[in-house]
Amino acid sequence: MDHADLPPRPDAPDTLDIEALAPRLLATVRAVADELRPQAGLAASLGLDHSLERDYGLDSLARVELIARIDHDLGVSLSEAALTEAETPRDLLRFITRTGGLGGAPAASVEQRDPGTATDAHTSTTASTTADSASEEPYPPDSLQTLVDVFEWHLQRHPERVLITLYEDADTSFDLTYADLHRDAIALATGLHALGIGKGDKVAIMLPTGREFFAAFLGTLVAGGVPVPLYPPARPSQLEDHLKRIAGILLNAQARVLVTVDRAKPLAHLLRAQVEALRSVVTVADLSLATAAPPDAPAAPSPRPALAASDVAFLQYTSGSTGDPKGVILTHANLLVNLRAMWRASKISNADTFVSWLPLYHDMGLIGACLGALTIGFRVVLMSPLAFLARPARWLETIHKHRGTVSAAPNFAYELCLNKLADADLDALDLSCWRLAFNGAEPVSPDTLERFAARFERCGLKREALTPVYGLAENSLGLGFPPVGRGPLIDAIDRAALAQGGVAQPARPDDAQPLRIVSCGLPLPGHELRVVGAGGRELPEREQGQVQFRGPSSTQGYLNNPAANQRLFDGDWLNTGDLGYMAAGELFLSGREKDIIIRGGLNIHPQELESAVARMAGIRKGGVAVFAASDPRSGTERLVVLAETRVSEPEPRRQ
């Protein structure tokens, strides 16, 4: 059941009665477990001290549903810490009763549901900061060649300007100025130098969203090293298994240092046994403690070596917990060209505010939001990805609160807001400030765009703000952007013509079931896109083929992976792995090349089938997978559909 369909939740209790709350919480946990595993029938026999994962069968995604259900059923809101650290229902109770928080901070709160009360000091101080900056030279000149040069340009002109507003939890945030970040970076760089880290050495960073991540990332750049952001484990209990999985990335990168959380240090031997180059597993505190200056002391001179535009800025791993890690090599020149092209195409300025919950190990969150802020000078408001997953309404409430003008997310996040926000959550939202709602990083659904625009129109959101974009790590980040303010462009085409002949023929007006594909826009200035067929022949418009690109943002290739590089490059063009077609100069993606299912001579795109099945009554949205399996008897591929359902009655389930 979607939360938009639920009855109003009970009022949050003024005081929390542990005795009364325990059976209600247990009932909610059992209900979610029964919905996910109806055949098991075991949840009724499980209690407060059974494992949420092992016994109840609730994995990381199921916990998101559980936290949302607790919010509704019990009238309390859990922090993201509960999402990651609670191992049993009794642990969840401790978070609800404020006894199990992180670092002494309250772990749960009965939140005010009116974000309109929050136009606080942040709004007024940043507004004045923006006004003060209007008389200054507004943007760093294009002659600056590295990210560190750009950072120091801002530092010299407005050291006390806020660059990042960072949420530690749902309610508590603090500001980081250029001067704050510079002090952190210098302390980190000095610590890295003490470990012998020099120009070009790889420094892996496995940290959650927080101040320490920026200290490690910027400090590595200042030291002349190459940051390698890695995704942190979903839960502390999974840390050992997680370290074993990321060993392949560390080995491929030849990382000399891993900067991570304190609890990972005792397990360093697991990594050193597999990664010969790894010298140290340390925390930000380890690197900074001996060298940190008092808060009021002037910043020390930068210890960084000279950097050039052609030097590697960082490695972006697109995969790699398995056998074939692919570390995209990105230079300072690649990143700065891409950032400047994206923000000019989007007309983003230093007066904008970018609200983001995207993880910092992912290119859209790190490059688009944070390095974009560093380059252009706009403010970025950051929350943890877990804060969004624990309660998706926080994303939109934060846009409202800080008058965010720009935000970005994959399609699933927009869908999650549609499914998890009740009508009452919309009453206090004003999204009229949101002028660029980027949707990228995965296939963009035309249905999601239209339903999101329709539902949040009452909050002041304009359809023209919805901005589907296209990019990939191999081009730094962005590649295709639509004209600003146009809104989504959806192409209705003939299904049979595409499936049988690979031609994106416009559908007839009386076609009741056209295939609808969203435009990803025009190539960024200075960049090129093309679609090729067999033998590398460039195809005319509206013929489907392989999408290729080239331009100044393009990677040199994957680090230490010649086999992947051979697949990536086609002369001076690079393969995206996507299928699509061009129309009126704009790119329309029809699917991933490797995902195409060929059955009976037809090319079937699984994303469309997954979307259609997910709309069926009783099917869990986001719980559908469509793929092919070879069928030697028929000589073609079988179509396999896996779908999760909450329906428990035998006959409806069979249907």
Side-chain angles (χ1 to χ4, degrees):
M1 178 186 301
D2 295 340
H3 284 271
D5 301 326
L6 289 169
R9 72 176 201 170
D11 290 336
D14 293 328
T15 59
L16 294 171
D17 183 343
I18 184 66
E19 296 298 326
L21 207 57
R24 294 172 57 200
L25 173 71
L26 195 56
T28 297
V29 175
R30 288 171 173 170
V32 173
D34 282 339
E35 289 177 8
L36 293 175
R37 299 195 305 171
Q39 299 100 326
L42 299 175
S45 64
L46 301 176
L48 289 172
D49 296 307
H50 285 90
S51 166
L52 290 170
E53 182 166 13
R54 185 179 60 255
D55 300 319
Y56 284 96
L58 303 179
D59 60 13
S60 297
L61 290 177
R63 285 167 178 246
V64 174
E65 174 67 23
L66 176 61
I67 296 299
R69 198 72 65 86
I70 290 171
D71 181 20
H72 178 272
D73 292 355
L74 277 66
V76 295
S77 293
L78 290 168
S79 74
E80 56 268 28
L83 193 63
T84 59
E85 297 189 9
E87 298 294 339
T88 66
R90 193 178 300 280
D91 290 339
L92 290 173
L93 273 178
R94 294 191 185 106
F95 280 100
I96 291 173
T97 56
R98 297 172 178 260
T99 59
L102 272 175
S109 62
V110 180
E111 295 180 63
Q112 278 289 345
R113 292 302 163 151
D114 180 9
T117 62
T119 8
D120 56 10
H122 282 309
T123 306
S124 58
T125 55
T126 32
S128 63
T129 304
T130 302
D132 292 342
S133 68
S135 60
E136 302 174 4
E137 185 180 358
Y139 306 114
D142 289 358
S143 59
L144 297 177
Q145 297 194 357
T146 72
L147 292 170
V148 178
D149 292 337
V150 170
F151 180 62
E152 291 181 345
W153 183 94
H154 284 292
L155 182 71
Q156 291 166 8
R157 283 158 180 79
H158 32 248
E160 299 308 319
R161 180 187 293 177
V162 173
L163 178 62
I164 299 169
T165 296
L166 186 62
Y167 274 84
E168 293 182 300
D169 56 41
D171 302 303
T172 309
S173 67
F174 60 91
D175 291 336
L176 290 171
T177 66
Y178 286 93
D180 294 331
L181 292 165
H182 185 242
R183 276 190 291 268
D184 291 351
I186 291 298
L188 226 292
T190 305
L192 288 173
H193 281 161
L195 292 178
I197 295 301
K199 185 174 179 180
D201 287 334
K202 313 302 190 302
V203 177
I205 302 168
M206 190 181 75
L207 292 168
T209 297
R211 182 170 185 169
E212 288 192 335
F213 179 92
F214 294 104
F217 188 89
L218 291 172
T220 300
L221 287 177
V222 168
V226 177
V228 184
L230 303 176
Y231 56 100
R235 293 194 296 281
S237 62
Q238 300 174 337
L239 182 59
E240 183 172 345
D241 289 340
H242 183 77
L243 291 177
K244 292 175 182 177
R245 287 196 295 271
I246 67 164
I249 295 179
L250 297 174
L251 181 62
N252 178 262
Q254 290 295 289
R256 294 187 60 192
V257 173
L258 171 62
V259 185
T260 184
V261 294
D262 191 64
R263 67 174 75 94
K265 289 168 62 178
L267 301 173
H269 63 281
L270 297 174
L271 295 173
R272 291 200 191 97
Q274 301 180 65
V275 186
E276 186 177 347
L278 189 65
R279 303 278 185 86
S280 304
V281 177
V282 294
T283 66
V284 168
D286 294 334
L287 293 169
S288 305
L289 191 60
T291 59
D296 56 349
S302 169
R304 74 177 175 98
L307 295 174
S310 58
D311 288 331
V312 178
F314 78 98
L315 297 176
Q316 174 73 57
Y317 275 84
T318 62
S319 64
S321 59
T322 55
D324 186 29
K326 291 187 289 189
V328 179
I329 301 169
L330 297 175
T331 67
H332 289 273
N334 292 151
L335 289 162
L336 288 175
V337 165
N338 198 248
L339 287 165
R340 289 161 179 156
M342 284 192 296
W343 303 137
R344 283 168 180 159
S346 302
K347 296 182 169 56
I348 289 179
S349 74
N350 57 14
D352 280 296
T353 295
F354 196 129
V355 175
S356 179
W357 55 265
L358 297 168
L360 298 181
Y361 57 83
H362 187 271
D363 51 7
M364 191 188 288
L366 176 58
I367 302 173
C370 298
L371 296 185
L374 182 73
T375 303
I376 304 303
F378 55 77
R379 182 174 65 128
V380 61
V381 179
L382 288 181
M383 68 177 77
S384 161
L386 297 172
F388 165 73
L389 290 174
R391 187 166 170 270
R394 286 191 183 118
W395 176 32
L396 305 186
E397 288 172 357
T398 305
I399 292 172
H400 166 117
K401 175 178 179 176
H402 292 277
R403 309 316 295 150
T405 56
V406 185
S407 195
N411 193 83
F412 89 88
Y414 293 93
E415 192 68 40
L416 205 57
C417 287
L418 285 167
N419 296 333
K420 301 301 183 186
L421 269 70
D423 287 343
D425 292 319
L426 275 60
D427 291 340
L429 282 178
D430 176 6
L431 301 178
S432 59
C433 55
W434 194 5
R435 67 179 188 84
L436 285 171
F438 291 123
N439 185 331
E442 65 182 14
V444 179
S445 164
D447 291 339
T448 301
L449 292 172
E450 291 179 346
R451 289 188 296 115
F452 195 88
R455 186 158 192 231
F456 290 94
E457 182 182 16
R458 62 186 276 194
C459 304
L461 179 70
K462 299 178 178 63
R463 185 182 187 276
E464 292 75 21
L466 299 179
T467 309
V469 291
Y470 176 61
L472 65 170
E474 288 80 357
N475 195 57
S476 299
L477 174 59
L479 185 52
F481 274 59
V484 174
R486 182 189 67 188
L489 175 63
I490 300 172
D491 192 22
I493 62 175
D494 185 285
R495 293 173 180 273
L498 187 70
Q500 297 171 6
V503 177
Q505 178 179 311
R508 301 184 312 275
D510 61 347
D511 188 338
Q513 292 290 328
L515 177 60
R516 302 195 306 154
I517 300 180
V518 179
S519 167
C520 295
L522 302 156
L524 289 174
H527 298 70
E528 296 178 81
L529 279 165
R530 72 173 185 176
V531 175
V532 300
R537 179 180 66 88
E538 185 169 357
L539 298 176
E541 287 206 339
R542 291 200 167 273
E543 285 195 22
Q544 177 181 257
Q546 299 171 319
V547 179
Q548 296 183 335
F549 68 97
R550 66 181 178 187
S553 305
S554 302
T555 179
Q556 305 169 18
Y558 303 117
L559 183 71
N560 300 325
N561 197 329
N565 284 332
Q566 189 170 9
R567 295 190 295 270
L568 176 64
F569 289 100
D570 180 8
D572 61 346
W573 291 88
L574 290 80
N575 293 307
T576 64
D578 290 316
L579 293 176
Y581 61 92
M582 304 293 293
E586 300 198 29
L587 175 66
F588 293 80
L589 293 180
S590 52
R592 292 287 293 172
E593 184 180 0
K594 65 181 181 181
D595 292 340
I596 289 294
I597 301 167
I598 303 174
R599 177 172 172 81
L602 298 179
N603 294 328
I604 300 172
H605 297 276
Q607 294 92 342
E608 189 197 3
L609 283 177
E610 289 167 353
S611 177
V613 173
R615 292 196 295 269
M616 295 173 62
I619 299 297
R620 291 174 57 87
K621 289 182 173 63
V624 182
V626 175
F627 55 91
S630 59
D631 186 354
R633 291 176 300 175
S634 64
T636 187
E637 292 187 324
R638 296 173 58 207
L639 185 65
V640 180
V641 180
L642 295 180
E644 296 180 2
T645 176
R646 293 191 174 99
V647 176
S648 57
E649 295 79 9
E651 182 57 23
R653 282 179 63 85
R654 187 192 66 77
Q655 293 175 358

